[in-house]
Amino acid sequence: MDYGHDLLFGTFLTPAAANPQQVVQLTQLSEQLGYDLATFQDHPYQPRFLDTWTLMSYAAAATTSIQIAPNVTSLPMRPAPVLARAAASLDLLSGGRFNLGLGAGAFWDAIAAMGVPRLTPGESVEALSEAIDLIRELWAVGERGGVHGGDHYPVHGAKRGPAPAHDVPIWLGAYKPRMLRLTGRKADGWLPSLSYLQPGDLAAGNTRIDDAASAAGRAPAEIRRLLNISGGESAQQLIDLALAEGMSAFIVAGDDPRLLERFAAEIIPAVREAVAAERARTGLAAPGRSARAIAQRRDGIAYDDVPASLRETAVEPGDFAYRTVRSTYMRGGAPGIVLRPRTTGEVADAVAFARRHPELPLGIRSGGHGISGRSTNDGGIVVDLGALSQIEVLDTETRRVRIGPGARWMQVANALEPHGWAISSGDYGGVGVGGLATAGGIGFLAREHGLTIDRMVAADVLLADGSVVRASAEENPDLFWAVRGAGANVGIVVAFEFEASPVGDLGWVQLAFDASDLASFVRGFGATMQASPRDVTLFAILAAGRGGQPPIAQVYGVVDNPDPDTIIERLQPFAQLAPLVGQSVQLSTYAGVMAGAADAVHDGQGEPRFRSGLLGDLDAAADAIAALVASGASPWFQIRSVGGAVADVPADATAYAHRDAGFSVTAIGRGTTFDQLWDAVATHFDGLYLSFESRTDPALVAEAFPPATLARLREVKGRYDPDGVFRDNFPVA
């Protein structure tokens, strides 16, 4: 019986304290010789041994690619709640290289001498079963609610986390029937030692594991079979163990470097070659997703028809990585599948798959930060472009750069800083390039250098039919027009070309004001901003006071000037707006301003209610804005400054047509009071910015695009996406 798992070869090293560096050196040698795995005895009651968990951490830090595992951890000595967090921590620190070998406990006299109550065999199995469940629950960060354990580990509402870097397998060192059945029901692998087995034990053990797995609704092939060996076995013996007994991992016990070298040079290649040849002859496939994962698939998706190019990286609801891709920065999601192409060809494959599912929602994701939340959905398809993140300087004379849609703006800023360049790009470095650069891009350099789309000179666009065309002023100019402001409607930009702006040191401004007279502050901020030189682009966030405190206005942004005196001069009119309660003005770089983004997994929840609008100035709307903020119904109200260079571009030059707007306002809130007060603000709007709008009302499209612009967009949409493949991000059709 060959279960089809990829072959692994490892070493089983003694954590001897007499020469503590020797075991670390043997781990490094194991990696150099091409072993996949280094494992260590875990007997904390042994005074002549190093603590194995401390050793594993040290060994992981001293290596780069080899996997690490205890062989095996004695559960009575390592309480499961603590063990779960230790294992997750080591997996995170090692970059996903940790595997957890568990045992119910041996050498009970030594364990009892350390004060651990002895368990009966039945109690040991129960404790181990409960420990497996508890460990996995504590790792399941994406799940809601507390963790409560059971009779052996009554943890009473423990918090989940941290989550490990990868789906850490749990291997059981099992020999007795009850332990073997537990392995089949719950474990990811069986890890016995050949020296402890009698003829027929492997076959009998596999049978018990397989029967228990089947009874639990699992495929027997889900459980990897590992084997500790002496290293003296011949290649043919291991080939037979692999093909006839199902063993797919062989771990050599020994601390002699010569043994490890001989085994790596003579045995491993022969075993790999013979097993690969036999599998090729029989057509044996590797185990696929687990039965549990398959059971979580969503209706209406032909999972078996996912293109071969995307299967390795696709994420389904039952996969470990699903929690990291299901949601966006603000919105909770539950897509049926997330496709993660690595090349333009794979993006085409993903779009072809989506075309075969016209009834399902389709989200296109670059960074997943978009407030509108359109890059996730419920039960549909998401195409995640994060791997298309290249940043390349094409021409230093023209400052032309080529950037993939999956790059983050903080990465772009870092790449351009050595050249003294920048591209205006919103106000948060964690935003993906693709979403911002097809919607508009209202950022800290907008009044001086325009929107992000205004620096775009060309784009490679993958269309709904899978073809890739170049869009620029000379090539497919109508498509180029549409991409700059409504790109989500006409295709997927797989590469952008921008002309960066020369930007050196600048002032990074953070001011806080007592805004007790909110309406007066709003008017004053608007007038002062519009009267400022173009090198000043400041935003404001307004919030009601709490606990008897006055409302606070936080003003932040950039003065694009390297001279400190000029920066202070530019800020003097703002300092007169209201009493200052906090201030920080620093000489920085654009890359420094963008560097504050967190690199955490997006874990948005629910459906945040964002509203957006564009205003020529703030005078007429100031009273309505003040009423909304003072009510407390909107905990976050933002004013972004535009105008300046943004208004220099003719309204019909791009699909973003509201060039006369002086300000973009955004609020979050919920409830009747918020809706009523927001509607009062909205009576003053002339357009809205879709990237900051979470509503899905089709009528909003007419507010985002003036009539002539919308008519042209619909004509372009009809030619480039007649079937409406790109239909879930404010479609204009």
Side-chain angles (χ1 to χ4, degrees):
M1 168 66 75
D2 181 0
Y3 297 95
H5 288 269
D6 57 312
L7 291 185
L8 298 179
F9 292 89
T11 56
F12 189 1
L13 307 174
T14 306
N19 187 355
Q21 290 301 321
Q22 182 180 26
V23 65
V24 178
Q25 292 164 359
L26 287 172
T27 307
Q28 294 171 320
L29 176 64
S30 300
E31 182 175 71
Q32 294 163 11
L33 293 173
Y35 286 91
D36 306 290
L37 178 67
T39 72
F40 309 88
Q41 299 179 46
D42 186 19
H43 299 300
Y45 38 76
Q46 288 279 10
R48 57 189 179 86
F49 282 176
L50 297 166
D51 174 73
T52 295
W53 283 79
T54 304
L55 169 61
M56 287 191 297
S57 299
Y58 194 98
T63 55
T64 59
S65 61
I66 196 166
Q67 299 177 54
I68 303 291
N71 193 347
V72 291
T73 279
S74 176
L75 187 63
M77 304 299 296
R78 310 280 186 184
V82 178
L83 180 63
R85 295 198 163 101
S89 299
L90 184 48
D91 195 54
L92 287 166
L93 291 168
S94 66
R97 292 191 285 132
F98 180 72
N99 306 277
L100 181 56
L102 280 182
F107 306 105
W108 271 99
D109 290 342
I111 293 175
M114 299 188 72
V116 178
R118 186 177 189 117
L119 300 178
T120 67
E123 290 171 334
S124 294
V125 174
E126 292 171 2
L128 185 54
S129 176
E130 186 181 310
I132 293 171
D133 294 339
L134 176 58
I135 289 168
R136 288 187 174 140
E137 278 198 81
L138 290 169
W139 288 344
V141 173
E143 302 296 326
R144 298 296 157 209
V147 177
H148 298 284
D151 294 337
H152 295 276
Y153 301 102
V155 292
H156 302 306
K159 302 295 184 183
R160 301 176 192 273
H166 84 302
D167 193 2
V168 175
I170 297 177
W171 303 329
L172 298 190
Y175 296 93
K176 301 296 184 180
R178 279 181 290 196
M179 283 284 288
L180 292 168
R181 289 193 289 270
L182 175 62
T183 302
R185 292 197 310 273
K186 295 187 176 182
D188 302 298
W190 178 32
L191 177 53
S193 293
L194 186 60
S195 60
Y196 291 172
L197 299 173
Q198 298 298 318
D201 283 352
L202 282 177
N206 278 332
T207 298
R208 285 194 172 93
I209 291 169
D210 293 354
D211 289 347
S214 298
R218 305 178 71 194
E222 292 180 29
I223 300 107
R224 178 186 284 279
R225 320 301 159 111
L226 308 95
L227 190 62
N228 292 319
I229 60 175
S230 68
E233 294 81 4
S234 68
Q236 188 57 54
Q237 286 177 286
L238 301 188
I239 293 167
D240 292 342
L241 287 167
L243 298 177
E245 304 286 4
M247 300 294 112
S248 60
F250 299 100
I251 303 172
V252 180
D255 302 312
D256 185 348
R258 294 168 298 180
L259 169 65
L260 303 183
E261 291 168 356
R262 181 194 64 79
F263 191 89
E266 300 175 8
I267 305 299
I268 293 178
V271 177
R272 288 193 187 280
E273 181 180 358
V275 172
E278 179 61 16
R279 289 177 174 177
R281 186 188 69 80
T282 61
L284 179 68
R289 284 180 167 82
S290 68
R292 176 182 173 277
I294 291 173
Q296 296 182 59
R297 287 176 164 176
R298 301 294 294 269
D299 293 337
I301 298 178
Y303 290 96
D304 292 339
D305 293 337
V306 171
S309 64
L310 298 168
R311 289 175 191 164
E312 181 181 341
T313 57
V315 182
E316 299 180 11
D319 293 345
F320 176 81
Y322 186 67
R323 71 172 187 87
T324 69
V325 299
R326 65 181 299 172
S327 300
T328 65
Y329 179 69
M330 296 295 294
R331 184 187 183 198
I337 190 167
V338 178
L339 303 175
R340 299 188 291 180
R342 296 159 293 189
T343 65
T344 297
E346 291 182 6
V347 179
D349 291 342
V351 170
F353 182 77
R355 284 181 65 91
R356 297 195 292 273
H357 297 77
E359 73 287 355
L360 294 180
L362 172 63
I364 310 299
R365 178 183 301 166
S366 57
H369 189 275
I371 287 173
S372 69
R374 296 301 187 274
S375 61
T376 191
N377 53 51
D378 183 8
I381 299 167
V382 169
V383 180
D384 187 326
L385 305 173
L388 279 69
S389 59
Q390 72 281 0
I391 303 170
E392 179 186 3
V393 174
L394 299 178
D395 189 333
T396 57
E397 293 296 321
T398 61
R399 301 185 302 278
R400 181 173 287 210
V401 296
R402 183 177 176 88
I403 303 172
R408 308 295 176 105
W409 283 111
M410 60 183 173
Q411 297 167 334
V412 175
N414 283 332
L416 300 185
E417 182 181 26
H419 300 277
W421 307 340
I423 300 171
S424 184
S425 52
D427 68 345
Y428 186 69
V431 172
V433 167
L436 189 81
T438 52
I442 301 174
F444 288 140
L445 299 174
R447 296 183 72 249
E448 185 177 18
H449 298 291
L451 301 173
T452 305
I453 60 172
D454 297 336
R455 309 308 303 174
M456 193 191 311
V457 293
D460 293 345
V461 187
L462 190 141
L463 303 177
D465 63 4
S467 64
V468 179
V469 300
R470 186 171 177 81
S472 69
E474 296 77 28
E475 303 172 84
N476 301 297
D478 55 344
L479 182 63
F480 187 52
W481 173 86
V483 161
R484 292 174 294 161
N489 266 278
V490 292
I492 299 175
V493 178
V494 293
F496 296 88
E497 290 184 16
F498 296 99
E499 183 181 282
S501 302
V503 177
D505 289 346
L506 45 71
W508 167 232
V509 180
Q510 298 176 86
L511 307 175
F513 295 90
D514 176 339
S516 295
D517 189 343
L518 275 165
S520 176
F521 180 86
V522 171
R523 287 190 176 93
F525 175 77
T528 305
M529 191 69 257
Q530 290 184 309
S532 294
R534 290 188 173 195
D535 60 3
V536 181
T537 303
L538 301 181
F539 299 169
I541 295 176
L542 310 178
R546 295 183 179 182
Q549 298 299 309
I552 296 296
Q554 299 178 47
V555 173
Y556 62 107
V558 159
V559 177
D560 184 16
N561 195 296
D563 177 47
D565 292 337
T566 301
I567 295 169
I568 297 302
E569 179 185 347
R570 298 280 198 268
L571 296 176
Q572 286 305 315
F574 293 94
Q576 309 306 314
L577 292 175
L580 272 169
V581 295
Q583 57 182 306
S584 171
V585 182
Q586 300 174 311
L587 198 62
S588 182
T589 63
Y590 190 69
V593 171
M594 289 287 107
D599 193 24
V601 169
H602 291 325
D603 191 26
Q605 301 297 317
E607 293 278 352
R609 296 179 63 188
F610 273 91
R611 302 288 184 267
S612 167
L614 295 171
L615 294 164
D617 59 46
L618 298 180
D619 282 353
D623 290 330
I625 291 172
L628 173 57
V629 174
S631 73
S634 174
W636 189 89
F637 188 101
Q638 185 191 51
I639 303 171
R640 293 190 177 210
S641 303
V642 279
V646 177
D648 291 343
V649 178
D652 62 355
T654 64
Y656 180 97
H658 295 288
R659 295 290 178 167
D660 56 350
F663 299 92
S664 170
V665 298
T666 308
I668 186 173
R670 64 175 62 251
T672 303
T673 299
F674 172 74
D675 290 337
Q676 293 173 344
L677 293 173
W678 175 261
D679 288 344
V681 178
T683 61
H684 303 281
F685 290 161
D686 183 14
L688 60 82
Y689 184 49
L690 288 176
S691 283
F692 295 157
E693 181 61 63
S694 64
R695 289 174 292 181
T696 58
D697 184 352
L700 293 171
V701 171
E703 296 183 40
F705 303 108
T709 303
L710 184 55
R712 184 177 176 184
L713 270 176
R714 285 174 169 157
E715 188 274 329
V716 174
K717 173 81 167 177
R719 283 190 287 119
Y720 287 101
D721 185 18
D723 298 325
V725 173
F726 305 112
R727 58 191 173 273
D728 290 300
N729 196 341
F730 299 107
V732 301

